[in-house]
PDB file of all heavy atoms in Angstrom:
ATOM      1  N   ILE A  10       0.832  -1.202   0.000  1.00 93.00           N
ATOM      2  CA  ILE A  10       0.000   0.000   0.000  1.00 93.00           C
ATOM      3  C   ILE A  10       0.871   1.259   0.000  1.00 93.00           C
ATOM      4  O   ILE A  10       0.571   2.232  -0.699  1.00 93.00           O
ATOM      5  CB  ILE A  10      -0.946  -0.004   1.218  1.00 93.00           C
ATOM      6  CG1 ILE A  10      -1.938  -1.161   1.144  1.00 93.00           C
ATOM      7  CG2 ILE A  10      -1.689   1.324   1.351  1.00 93.00           C
ATOM      8  CD1 ILE A  10      -2.904  -1.065  -0.003  1.00 93.00           C
ATOM      9  N   SER A  11       1.954   1.245   0.740  1.00 94.00           N
ATOM     10  CA  SER A  11       2.817   2.427   0.784  1.00 94.00           C
ATOM     11  C   SER A  11       3.492   2.666  -0.566  1.00 94.00           C
ATOM     12  O   SER A  11       3.659   3.817  -0.986  1.00 94.00           O
ATOM     13  CB  SER A  11       3.869   2.284   1.881  1.00 94.00           C
ATOM     14  OG  SER A  11       4.697   1.171   1.633  1.00 94.00           O
ATOM     15  N   GLU A  12       3.885   1.614  -1.274  1.00 94.00           N
ATOM     16  CA  GLU A  12       4.465   1.775  -2.612  1.00 94.00           C
ATOM     17  C   GLU A  12       3.425   2.290  -3.594  1.00 94.00           C
ATOM     18  O   GLU A  12       3.727   3.165  -4.423  1.00 94.00           O
ATOM     19  CB  GLU A  12       5.035   0.457  -3.118  1.00 94.00           C
ATOM     20  CG  GLU A  12       6.296   0.007  -2.418  1.00 94.00           C
ATOM     21  CD  GLU A  12       6.746  -1.370  -2.879  1.00 94.00           C
ATOM     22  OE1 GLU A  12       5.894  -2.146  -3.387  1.00 94.00           O
ATOM     23  OE2 GLU A  12       7.934  -1.666  -2.728  1.00 94.00           O
ATOM     24  N   LEU A  13       2.217   1.767  -3.518  1.00 93.00           N
ATOM     25  CA  LEU A  13       1.136   2.220  -4.392  1.00 93.00           C
ATOM     26  C   LEU A  13       0.826   3.690  -4.152  1.00 93.00           C
ATOM     27  O   LEU A  13       0.658   4.461  -5.104  1.00 93.00           O
ATOM     28  CB  LEU A  13      -0.116   1.368  -4.173  1.00 93.00           C
ATOM     29  CG  LEU A  13      -1.329   1.734  -5.027  1.00 93.00           C
ATOM     30  CD1 LEU A  13      -1.018   1.515  -6.505  1.00 93.00           C
ATOM     31  CD2 LEU A  13      -2.531   0.931  -4.595  1.00 93.00           C
ATOM     32  N   THR A  14       0.793   4.087  -2.882  1.00 93.00           N
ATOM     33  CA  THR A  14       0.550   5.486  -2.551  1.00 93.00           C
ATOM     34  C   THR A  14       1.654   6.367  -3.112  1.00 93.00           C
ATOM     35  O   THR A  14       1.383   7.441  -3.666  1.00 93.00           O
ATOM     36  CB  THR A  14       0.464   5.666  -1.027  1.00 93.00           C
ATOM     37  OG1 THR A  14      -0.542   4.800  -0.512  1.00 93.00           O
ATOM     38  CG2 THR A  14       0.134   7.105  -0.662  1.00 93.00           C
ATOM     39  N   LEU A  15       2.892   5.943  -2.999  1.00 94.00           N
ATOM     40  CA  LEU A  15       4.018   6.702  -3.537  1.00 94.00           C
ATOM     41  C   LEU A  15       3.911   6.841  -5.052  1.00 94.00           C
ATOM     42  O   LEU A  15       4.117   7.942  -5.587  1.00 94.00           O
ATOM     43  CB  LEU A  15       5.340   6.029  -3.164  1.00 94.00           C
ATOM     44  CG  LEU A  15       6.596   6.672  -3.729  1.00 94.00           C
ATOM     45  CD1 LEU A  15       6.808   8.049  -3.115  1.00 94.00           C
ATOM     46  CD2 LEU A  15       7.791   5.785  -3.507  1.00 94.00           C
ATOM     47  N   TYR A  16       3.575   5.775  -5.747  1.00 94.00           N
ATOM     48  CA  TYR A  16       3.432   5.836  -7.208  1.00 94.00           C
ATOM     49  C   TYR A  16       2.303   6.776  -7.617  1.00 94.00           C
ATOM     50  O   TYR A  16       2.430   7.544  -8.578  1.00 94.00           O
ATOM     51  CB  TYR A  16       3.203   4.453  -7.799  1.00 94.00           C
ATOM     52  CG  TYR A  16       4.399   3.540  -7.699  1.00 94.00           C
ATOM     53  CD1 TYR A  16       4.240   2.191  -7.391  1.00 94.00           C
ATOM     54  CD2 TYR A  16       5.689   4.007  -7.914  1.00 94.00           C
ATOM     55  CE1 TYR A  16       5.335   1.347  -7.303  1.00 94.00           C
ATOM     56  CE2 TYR A  16       6.787   3.175  -7.828  1.00 94.00           C
ATOM     57  CZ  TYR A  16       6.606   1.843  -7.517  1.00 94.00           C
ATOM     58  OH  TYR A  16       7.695   1.021  -7.429  1.00 94.00           O
ATOM     59  N   ILE A  17       1.191   6.722  -6.901  1.00 94.00           N
ATOM     60  CA  ILE A  17       0.064   7.596  -7.218  1.00 94.00           C
ATOM     61  C   ILE A  17       0.442   9.055  -6.995  1.00 94.00           C
ATOM     62  O   ILE A  17       0.133   9.924  -7.830  1.00 94.00           O
ATOM     63  CB  ILE A  17      -1.182   7.198  -6.394  1.00 94.00           C
ATOM     64  CG1 ILE A  17      -1.724   5.858  -6.904  1.00 94.00           C
ATOM     65  CG2 ILE A  17      -2.259   8.274  -6.460  1.00 94.00           C
ATOM     66  CD1 ILE A  17      -2.827   5.276  -6.060  1.00 94.00           C
ATOM     67  N   VAL A  18       1.121   9.352  -5.891  1.00 94.00           N
ATOM     68  CA  VAL A  18       1.540  10.723  -5.610  1.00 94.00           C
ATOM     69  C   VAL A  18       2.531  11.202  -6.669  1.00 94.00           C
ATOM     70  O   VAL A  18       2.450  12.340  -7.141  1.00 94.00           O
ATOM     71  CB  VAL A  18       2.131  10.838  -4.191  1.00 94.00           C
ATOM     72  CG1 VAL A  18       2.838  12.169  -3.986  1.00 94.00           C
ATOM     73  CG2 VAL A  18       1.045  10.657  -3.143  1.00 94.00           C
ATOM     74  N   LEU A  19       3.453  10.349  -7.082  1.00 95.00           N
ATOM     75  CA  LEU A  19       4.423  10.738  -8.109  1.00 95.00           C
ATOM     76  C   LEU A  19       3.744  11.015  -9.453  1.00 95.00           C
ATOM     77  O   LEU A  19       4.070  11.995 -10.127  1.00 95.00           O
ATOM     78  CB  LEU A  19       5.497   9.662  -8.269  1.00 95.00           C
ATOM     79  CG  LEU A  19       6.520   9.567  -7.138  1.00 95.00           C
ATOM     80  CD1 LEU A  19       7.450   8.378  -7.369  1.00 95.00           C
ATOM     81  CD2 LEU A  19       7.310  10.848  -7.017  1.00 95.00           C
ATOM     82  N   ILE A  20       2.821  10.161  -9.845  1.00 95.00           N
ATOM     83  CA  ILE A  20       2.099  10.366 -11.106  1.00 95.00           C
ATOM     84  C   ILE A  20       1.282  11.657 -11.044  1.00 95.00           C
ATOM     85  O   ILE A  20       1.275  12.451 -11.985  1.00 95.00           O
ATOM     86  CB  ILE A  20       1.212   9.147 -11.432  1.00 95.00           C
ATOM     87  CG1 ILE A  20       2.091   7.960 -11.814  1.00 95.00           C
ATOM     88  CG2 ILE A  20       0.228   9.470 -12.551  1.00 95.00           C
ATOM     89  CD1 ILE A  20       1.358   6.653 -11.902  1.00 95.00           C
ATOM     90  N   ASN A  21       0.611  11.893  -9.914  1.00 95.00           N
ATOM     91  CA  ASN A  21      -0.190  13.112  -9.772  1.00 95.00           C
ATOM     92  C   ASN A  21       0.690  14.361  -9.725  1.00 95.00           C
ATOM     93  O   ASN A  21       0.289  15.420 -10.209  1.00 95.00           O
ATOM     94  CB  ASN A  21      -1.067  13.026  -8.525  1.00 95.00           C
ATOM     95  CG  ASN A  21      -2.222  12.077  -8.712  1.00 95.00           C
ATOM     96  OD1 ASN A  21      -2.643  11.819  -9.831  1.00 95.00           O
ATOM     97  ND2 ASN A  21      -2.735  11.554  -7.621  1.00 95.00           N
ATOM     98  N   THR A  22       1.896  14.247  -9.156  1.00 95.00           N
ATOM     99  CA  THR A  22       2.811  15.382  -9.153  1.00 95.00           C
ATOM    100  C   THR A  22       3.267  15.711 -10.571  1.00 95.00           C
ATOM    101  O   THR A  22       3.371  16.884 -10.945  1.00 95.00           O
ATOM    102  CB  THR A  22       4.020  15.090  -8.251  1.00 95.00           C
ATOM    103  OG1 THR A  22       3.552  14.785  -6.935  1.00 95.00           O
ATOM    104  CG2 THR A  22       4.961  16.268  -8.184  1.00 95.00           C
ATOM    105  N   VAL A  23       3.520  14.687 -11.367  1.00 95.00           N
ATOM    106  CA  VAL A  23       3.897  14.921 -12.767  1.00 95.00           C
ATOM    107  C   VAL A  23       2.745  15.598 -13.514  1.00 95.00           C
ATOM    108  O   VAL A  23       2.966  16.517 -14.313  1.00 95.00           O
ATOM    109  CB  VAL A  23       4.320  13.599 -13.448  1.00 95.00           C
ATOM    110  CG1 VAL A  23       4.454  13.768 -14.951  1.00 95.00           C
ATOM    111  CG2 VAL A  23       5.608  13.088 -12.843  1.00 95.00           C
ATOM    112  N   LEU A  24       1.515  15.183 -13.242  1.00 95.00           N
ATOM    113  CA  LEU A  24       0.365  15.854 -13.853  1.00 95.00           C
ATOM    114  C   LEU A  24       0.266  17.308 -13.380  1.00 95.00           C
ATOM    115  O   LEU A  24      -0.073  18.198 -14.171  1.00 95.00           O
ATOM    116  CB  LEU A  24      -0.929  15.113 -13.514  1.00 95.00           C
ATOM    117  CG  LEU A  24      -1.150  13.792 -14.240  1.00 95.00           C
ATOM    118  CD1 LEU A  24      -2.384  13.085 -13.696  1.00 95.00           C
ATOM    119  CD2 LEU A  24      -1.288  14.024 -15.719  1.00 95.00           C
ATOM    120  N   GLY A  25       0.572  17.562 -12.113  1.00 95.00           N
ATOM    121  CA  GLY A  25       0.582  18.925 -11.603  1.00 95.00           C
ATOM    122  C   GLY A  25       1.634  19.775 -12.292  1.00 95.00           C
ATOM    123  O   GLY A  25       1.399  20.945 -12.589  1.00 95.00           O
ATOM    124  N   ILE A  26       2.797  19.190 -12.571  1.00 96.00           N
ATOM    125  CA  ILE A  26       3.841  19.906 -13.300  1.00 96.00           C
ATOM    126  C   ILE A  26       3.376  20.206 -14.722  1.00 96.00           C
ATOM    127  O   ILE A  26       3.583  21.306 -15.242  1.00 96.00           O
ATOM    128  CB  ILE A  26       5.153  19.100 -13.302  1.00 96.00           C
ATOM    129  CG1 ILE A  26       5.739  19.057 -11.899  1.00 96.00           C
ATOM    130  CG2 ILE A  26       6.156  19.670 -14.288  1.00 96.00           C
ATOM    131  CD1 ILE A  26       6.897  18.089 -11.740  1.00 96.00           C
ATOM    132  N   LEU A  27       2.725  19.238 -15.339  1.00 96.00           N
ATOM    133  CA  LEU A  27       2.222  19.436 -16.700  1.00 96.00           C
ATOM    134  C   LEU A  27       1.191  20.553 -16.745  1.00 96.00           C
ATOM    135  O   LEU A  27       1.288  21.476 -17.564  1.00 96.00           O
ATOM    136  CB  LEU A  27       1.614  18.132 -17.231  1.00 96.00           C
ATOM    137  CG  LEU A  27       0.974  18.202 -18.597  1.00 96.00           C
ATOM    138  CD1 LEU A  27       2.050  18.370 -19.667  1.00 96.00           C
ATOM    139  CD2 LEU A  27       0.160  16.955 -18.861  1.00 96.00           C
ATOM    140  N   PHE A  28       0.194  20.517 -15.870  1.00 96.00           N
ATOM    141  CA  PHE A  28      -0.830  21.554 -15.859  1.00 96.00           C
ATOM    142  C   PHE A  28      -0.272  22.885 -15.378  1.00 96.00           C
ATOM    143  O   PHE A  28      -0.686  23.944 -15.842  1.00 96.00           O
ATOM    144  CB  PHE A  28      -2.016  21.143 -14.981  1.00 96.00           C
ATOM    145  CG  PHE A  28      -2.861  20.057 -15.578  1.00 96.00           C
ATOM    146  CD1 PHE A  28      -3.167  18.917 -14.857  1.00 96.00           C
ATOM    147  CD2 PHE A  28      -3.353  20.157 -16.863  1.00 96.00           C
ATOM    148  CE1 PHE A  28      -3.940  17.913 -15.398  1.00 96.00           C
ATOM    149  CE2 PHE A  28      -4.129  19.163 -17.423  1.00 96.00           C
ATOM    150  CZ  PHE A  28      -4.423  18.032 -16.680  1.00 96.00           C
ATOM    151  N   GLY A  29       0.662  22.857 -14.436  1.00 95.00           N
ATOM    152  CA  GLY A  29       1.251  24.087 -13.919  1.00 95.00           C
ATOM    153  C   GLY A  29       2.147  24.797 -14.909  1.00 95.00           C
ATOM    154  O   GLY A  29       2.439  25.981 -14.747  1.00 95.00           O
ATOM    155  N   SER A  30       2.587  24.083 -15.926  1.00 96.00           N
ATOM    156  CA  SER A  30       3.438  24.719 -16.928  1.00 96.00           C
ATOM    157  C   SER A  30       2.658  25.747 -17.759  1.00 96.00           C
ATOM    158  O   SER A  30       3.255  26.691 -18.275  1.00 96.00           O
ATOM    159  CB  SER A  30       4.084  23.677 -17.836  1.00 96.00           C
ATOM    160  OG  SER A  30       3.113  22.999 -18.597  1.00 96.00           O
ATOM    161  N   PHE A  31       1.343  25.606 -17.859  1.00 95.00           N
ATOM    162  CA  PHE A  31       0.541  26.569 -18.627  1.00 95.00           C
ATOM    163  C   PHE A  31       0.520  27.945 -17.969  1.00 95.00           C
ATOM    164  O   PHE A  31       0.821  28.939 -18.634  1.00 95.00           O
ATOM    165  CB  PHE A  31      -0.873  26.037 -18.865  1.00 95.00           C
ATOM    166  CG  PHE A  31      -0.916  24.885 -19.822  1.00 95.00           C
ATOM    167  CD1 PHE A  31      -1.118  23.597 -19.368  1.00 95.00           C
ATOM    168  CD2 PHE A  31      -0.731  25.088 -21.177  1.00 95.00           C
ATOM    169  CE1 PHE A  31      -1.142  22.532 -20.248  1.00 95.00           C
ATOM    170  CE2 PHE A  31      -0.749  24.032 -22.075  1.00 95.00           C
ATOM    171  CZ  PHE A  31      -0.958  22.744 -21.597  1.00 95.00           C
ATOM    172  N   PRO A  32       0.171  28.067 -16.672  1.00 95.00           N
ATOM    173  CA  PRO A  32       0.234  29.414 -16.091  1.00 95.00           C
ATOM    174  C   PRO A  32       1.665  29.951 -16.023  1.00 95.00           C
ATOM    175  O   PRO A  32       1.878  31.162 -16.156  1.00 95.00           O
ATOM    176  CB  PRO A  32      -0.362  29.255 -14.693  1.00 95.00           C
ATOM    177  CG  PRO A  32      -0.427  27.830 -14.419  1.00 95.00           C
ATOM    178  CD  PRO A  32      -0.419  27.122 -15.735  1.00 95.00           C
ATOM    179  N   LEU A  33       2.641  29.076 -15.855  1.00 95.00           N
ATOM    180  CA  LEU A  33       4.025  29.529 -15.841  1.00 95.00           C
ATOM    181  C   LEU A  33       4.413  30.106 -17.197  1.00 95.00           C
ATOM    182  O   LEU A  33       5.007  31.187 -17.283  1.00 95.00           O
ATOM    183  CB  LEU A  33       4.960  28.390 -15.463  1.00 95.00           C
ATOM    184  CG  LEU A  33       6.440  28.728 -15.344  1.00 95.00           C
ATOM    185  CD1 LEU A  33       6.669  29.723 -14.216  1.00 95.00           C
ATOM    186  CD2 LEU A  33       7.249  27.471 -15.103  1.00 95.00           C
ATOM    187  N   PHE A  34       4.044  29.420 -18.267  1.00 95.00           N
ATOM    188  CA  PHE A  34       4.338  29.890 -19.624  1.00 95.00           C
ATOM    189  C   PHE A  34       3.654  31.230 -19.892  1.00 95.00           C
ATOM    190  O   PHE A  34       4.272  32.186 -20.357  1.00 95.00           O
ATOM    191  CB  PHE A  34       3.902  28.849 -20.657  1.00 95.00           C
ATOM    192  CG  PHE A  34       3.977  29.342 -22.068  1.00 95.00           C
ATOM    193  CD1 PHE A  34       5.196  29.466 -22.709  1.00 95.00           C
ATOM    194  CD2 PHE A  34       2.828  29.690 -22.753  1.00 95.00           C
ATOM    195  CE1 PHE A  34       5.274  29.926 -24.016  1.00 95.00           C
ATOM    196  CE2 PHE A  34       2.882  30.153 -24.057  1.00 95.00           C
ATOM    197  CZ  PHE A  34       4.114  30.269 -24.685  1.00 95.00           C
ATOM    198  N   PHE A  35       2.346  31.304 -19.603  1.00 94.00           N
ATOM    199  CA  PHE A  35       1.620  32.542 -19.860  1.00 94.00           C
ATOM    200  C   PHE A  35       2.095  33.662 -18.949  1.00 94.00           C
ATOM    201  O   PHE A  35       2.103  34.830 -19.342  1.00 94.00           O
ATOM    202  CB  PHE A  35       0.111  32.334 -19.710  1.00 94.00           C
ATOM    203  CG  PHE A  35      -0.515  31.650 -20.881  1.00 94.00           C
ATOM    204  CD1 PHE A  35      -1.043  30.380 -20.764  1.00 94.00           C
ATOM    205  CD2 PHE A  35      -0.570  32.270 -22.110  1.00 94.00           C
ATOM    206  CE1 PHE A  35      -1.609  29.745 -21.847  1.00 94.00           C
ATOM    207  CE2 PHE A  35      -1.139  31.650 -23.207  1.00 94.00           C
ATOM    208  CZ  PHE A  35      -1.653  30.377 -23.068  1.00 94.00           C
ATOM    209  N   GLY A  36       2.472  33.335 -17.723  1.00 94.00           N
ATOM    210  CA  GLY A  36       2.984  34.349 -16.811  1.00 94.00           C
ATOM    211  C   GLY A  36       4.280  34.956 -17.309  1.00 94.00           C
ATOM    212  O   GLY A  36       4.489  36.169 -17.229  1.00 94.00           O
ATOM    213  N   LEU A  37       5.166  34.126 -17.825  1.00 92.00           N
ATOM    214  CA  LEU A  37       6.419  34.639 -18.367  1.00 92.00           C
ATOM    215  C   LEU A  37       6.179  35.406 -19.663  1.00 92.00           C
ATOM    216  O   LEU A  37       6.803  36.434 -19.911  1.00 92.00           O
ATOM    217  CB  LEU A  37       7.404  33.487 -18.602  1.00 92.00           C
ATOM    218  CG  LEU A  37       7.909  32.769 -17.353  1.00 92.00           C
ATOM    219  CD1 LEU A  37       8.743  31.557 -17.739  1.00 92.00           C
ATOM    220  CD2 LEU A  37       8.693  33.714 -16.467  1.00 92.00           C
ATOM    221  N   ARG A  38       5.280  34.909 -20.475  1.00 92.00           N
ATOM    222  CA  ARG A  38       5.004  35.534 -21.771  1.00 92.00           C
ATOM    223  C   ARG A  38       4.310  36.893 -21.625  1.00 92.00           C
ATOM    224  O   ARG A  38       4.598  37.822 -22.358  1.00 92.00           O
ATOM    225  CB  ARG A  38       4.134  34.581 -22.583  1.00 92.00           C
ATOM    226  CG  ARG A  38       3.797  35.068 -23.940  1.00 92.00           C
ATOM    227  CD  ARG A  38       4.426  34.196 -24.955  1.00 92.00           C
ATOM    228  NE  ARG A  38       3.898  34.558 -26.258  1.00 92.00           N
ATOM    229  CZ  ARG A  38       4.680  34.844 -27.272  1.00 92.00           C
ATOM    230  NH1 ARG A  38       5.973  34.769 -27.133  1.00 92.00           N
ATOM    231  NH2 ARG A  38       4.169  35.173 -28.424  1.00 92.00           N
ATOM    232  N   MET A  39       3.385  36.980 -20.669  1.00 90.00           N
ATOM    233  CA  MET A  39       2.601  38.198 -20.483  1.00 90.00           C
ATOM    234  C   MET A  39       3.209  39.126 -19.421  1.00 90.00           C
ATOM    235  O   MET A  39       2.560  40.066 -18.981  1.00 90.00           O
ATOM    236  CB  MET A  39       1.163  37.854 -20.070  1.00 90.00           C
ATOM    237  CG  MET A  39       0.428  37.005 -21.042  1.00 90.00           C
ATOM    238  SD  MET A  39       0.070  37.921 -22.511  1.00 90.00           S
ATOM    239  CE  MET A  39      -0.825  36.721 -23.452  1.00 90.00           C
ATOM    240  N   LYS A  40       4.430  38.827 -19.004  1.00 89.00           N
ATOM    241  CA  LYS A  40       5.157  39.644 -18.019  1.00 89.00           C
ATOM    242  C   LYS A  40       4.415  39.730 -16.689  1.00 89.00           C
ATOM    243  O   LYS A  40       4.324  40.799 -16.074  1.00 89.00           O
ATOM    244  CB  LYS A  40       5.442  41.029 -18.575  1.00 89.00           C
ATOM    245  CG  LYS A  40       6.365  40.995 -19.765  1.00 89.00           C
ATOM    246  CD  LYS A  40       6.658  42.382 -20.278  1.00 89.00           C
ATOM    247  CE  LYS A  40       7.635  42.312 -21.420  1.00 89.00           C
ATOM    248  NZ  LYS A  40       7.063  42.192 -22.707  1.00 89.00           N
ATOM    249  N   ASN A  41       3.873  38.603 -16.257  1.00 89.00           N
ATOM    250  CA  ASN A  41       3.210  38.513 -14.959  1.00 89.00           C
ATOM    251  C   ASN A  41       3.785  37.283 -14.248  1.00 89.00           C
ATOM    252  O   ASN A  41       3.107  36.279 -14.061  1.00 89.00           O
ATOM    253  CB  ASN A  41       1.701  38.399 -15.138  1.00 89.00           C
ATOM    254  CG  ASN A  41       0.955  38.631 -13.857  1.00 89.00           C
ATOM    255  OD1 ASN A  41       1.544  38.621 -12.791  1.00 89.00           O
ATOM    256  ND2 ASN A  41      -0.340  38.843 -13.966  1.00 89.00           N
ATOM    257  N   ARG A  42       5.040  37.396 -13.873  1.00 92.00           N
ATOM    258  CA  ARG A  42       5.768  36.248 -13.331  1.00 92.00           C
ATOM    259  C   ARG A  42       5.224  35.792 -11.990  1.00 92.00           C
ATOM    260  O   ARG A  42       5.285  34.606 -11.682  1.00 92.00           O
ATOM    261  CB  ARG A  42       7.247  36.599 -13.196  1.00 92.00           C
ATOM    262  CG  ARG A  42       7.892  36.804 -14.522  1.00 92.00           C
ATOM    263  CD  ARG A  42       9.324  37.151 -14.375  1.00 92.00           C
ATOM    264  NE  ARG A  42       9.895  37.362 -15.705  1.00 92.00           N
ATOM    265  CZ  ARG A  42      11.129  37.681 -15.920  1.00 92.00           C
ATOM    266  NH1 ARG A  42      11.955  37.839 -14.913  1.00 92.00           N
ATOM    267  NH2 ARG A  42      11.558  37.846 -17.148  1.00 92.00           N
ATOM    268  N   LYS A  43       4.698  36.707 -11.192  1.00 94.00           N
ATOM    269  CA  LYS A  43       4.213  36.340  -9.861  1.00 94.00           C
ATOM    270  C   LYS A  43       3.070  35.331  -9.962  1.00 94.00           C
ATOM    271  O   LYS A  43       3.118  34.267  -9.351  1.00 94.00           O
ATOM    272  CB  LYS A  43       3.760  37.592  -9.112  1.00 94.00           C
ATOM    273  CG  LYS A  43       3.314  37.311  -7.689  1.00 94.00           C
ATOM    274  CD  LYS A  43       3.015  38.595  -6.941  1.00 94.00           C
ATOM    275  CE  LYS A  43       1.596  38.995  -7.210  1.00 94.00           C
ATOM    276  NZ  LYS A  43       1.147  40.108  -6.370  1.00 94.00           N
ATOM    277  N   TYR A  44       2.039  35.653 -10.742  1.00 93.00           N
ATOM    278  CA  TYR A  44       0.917  34.728 -10.896  1.00 93.00           C
ATOM    279  C   TYR A  44       1.349  33.439 -11.604  1.00 93.00           C
ATOM    280  O   TYR A  44       0.855  32.354 -11.291  1.00 93.00           O
ATOM    281  CB  TYR A  44      -0.222  35.366 -11.672  1.00 93.00           C
ATOM    282  CG  TYR A  44      -1.107  36.279 -10.855  1.00 93.00           C
ATOM    283  CD1 TYR A  44      -1.905  37.221 -11.481  1.00 93.00           C
ATOM    284  CD2 TYR A  44      -1.163  36.201  -9.481  1.00 93.00           C
ATOM    285  CE1 TYR A  44      -2.721  38.068 -10.757  1.00 93.00           C
ATOM    286  CE2 TYR A  44      -1.966  37.042  -8.749  1.00 93.00           C
ATOM    287  CZ  TYR A  44      -2.748  37.975  -9.389  1.00 93.00           C
ATOM    288  OH  TYR A  44      -3.557  38.797  -8.682  1.00 93.00           O
ATOM    289  N   GLY A  45       2.249  33.545 -12.550  1.00 94.00           N
ATOM    290  CA  GLY A  45       2.734  32.357 -13.243  1.00 94.00           C
ATOM    291  C   GLY A  45       3.454  31.407 -12.315  1.00 94.00           C
ATOM    292  O   GLY A  45       3.221  30.197 -12.336  1.00 94.00           O
ATOM    293  N   PHE A  46       4.318  31.955 -11.461  1.00 96.00           N
ATOM    294  CA  PHE A  46       5.060  31.125 -10.516  1.00 96.00           C
ATOM    295  C   PHE A  46       4.128  30.521  -9.469  1.00 96.00           C
ATOM    296  O   PHE A  46       4.202  29.335  -9.161  1.00 96.00           O
ATOM    297  CB  PHE A  46       6.158  31.955  -9.848  1.00 96.00           C
ATOM    298  CG  PHE A  46       6.999  31.182  -8.886  1.00 96.00           C
ATOM    299  CD1 PHE A  46       7.909  30.243  -9.346  1.00 96.00           C
ATOM    300  CD2 PHE A  46       6.879  31.382  -7.531  1.00 96.00           C
ATOM    301  CE1 PHE A  46       8.683  29.512  -8.464  1.00 96.00           C
ATOM    302  CE2 PHE A  46       7.646  30.657  -6.638  1.00 96.00           C
ATOM    303  CZ  PHE A  46       8.555  29.724  -7.104  1.00 96.00           C
ATOM    304  N   TYR A  47       3.216  31.342  -8.915  1.00 95.00           N
ATOM    305  CA  TYR A  47       2.260  30.823  -7.930  1.00 95.00           C
ATOM    306  C   TYR A  47       1.366  29.748  -8.543  1.00 95.00           C
ATOM    307  O   TYR A  47       1.073  28.741  -7.906  1.00 95.00           O
ATOM    308  CB  TYR A  47       1.393  31.945  -7.367  1.00 95.00           C
ATOM    309  CG  TYR A  47       2.109  32.863  -6.398  1.00 95.00           C
ATOM    310  CD1 TYR A  47       1.685  34.169  -6.222  1.00 95.00           C
ATOM    311  CD2 TYR A  47       3.201  32.433  -5.652  1.00 95.00           C
ATOM    312  CE1 TYR A  47       2.337  35.023  -5.347  1.00 95.00           C
ATOM    313  CE2 TYR A  47       3.853  33.274  -4.779  1.00 95.00           C
ATOM    314  CZ  TYR A  47       3.416  34.565  -4.624  1.00 95.00           C
ATOM    315  OH  TYR A  47       4.050  35.402  -3.750  1.00 95.00           O
ATOM    316  N   GLY A  48       0.919  29.961  -9.757  1.00 95.00           N
ATOM    317  CA  GLY A  48       0.087  28.963 -10.428  1.00 95.00           C
ATOM    318  C   GLY A  48       0.817  27.654 -10.605  1.00 95.00           C
ATOM    319  O   GLY A  48       0.244  26.577 -10.428  1.00 95.00           O
TER     320      GLY A  48
END
């Protein structure tokens, strides 16, 4: 169970990085780094 939980958290973190890259990209592009980084 602990290994399964770790794998699920890792997969979900990768998805968070994928989705979080959109506000980061737009924040850098639109010169709003604060919201991009927080997003």
Side-chain angles (χ1 to χ4, degrees):
I10 296 295
S11 61
E12 289 175 337
L13 180 64
T14 304
L15 177 67
Y16 292 140
I17 289 172
V18 168
L19 287 175
I20 290 169
N21 286 336
T22 303
V23 169
L24 286 173
I26 291 170
L27 176 71
F28 288 128
S30 65
F31 290 105
L33 183 64
F34 171 75
F35 282 113
L37 294 173
R38 181 114 170 127
M39 301 290 182
K40 296 181 177 90
N41 194 346
R42 293 180 181 180
K43 183 174 86 171
Y44 280 160
F46 182 72
Y47 286 154

